[in-house]
Amino acid sequence: MTPADYALLGIDAQSILYVWSWGFGSVVSFHFLGYCVGVAKQAIRQM
């Protein structure tokens, strides 16, 4: 397939970047959420 064929299917640089950034953002968000839960658990155990 050529880049023109992918463009006809709706796959272009903008859509790839959008999907990649959305996925990366969700992974980072869930990692931060898990980190916060872990810190909260440590704080509760030390009380």
Side-chain angles (χ1 to χ4, degrees):
M1 293 184 83
T2 65
D5 294 334
Y6 288 118
L8 287 174
L9 294 173
I11 301 172
D12 56 354
Q14 291 176 339
S15 62
I16 292 171
L17 181 62
Y18 174 76
V19 170
W20 181 85
S21 62
W22 188 89
F24 184 78
S26 65
V27 168
V28 170
S29 297
F30 280 113
H31 172 70
F32 182 70
L33 180 64
Y35 177 76
C36 290
V37 169
V39 169
K41 283 175 57 177
Q42 275 303 111
I44 291 170
R45 284 184 186 170
Q46 290 181 359
M47 289 181 143

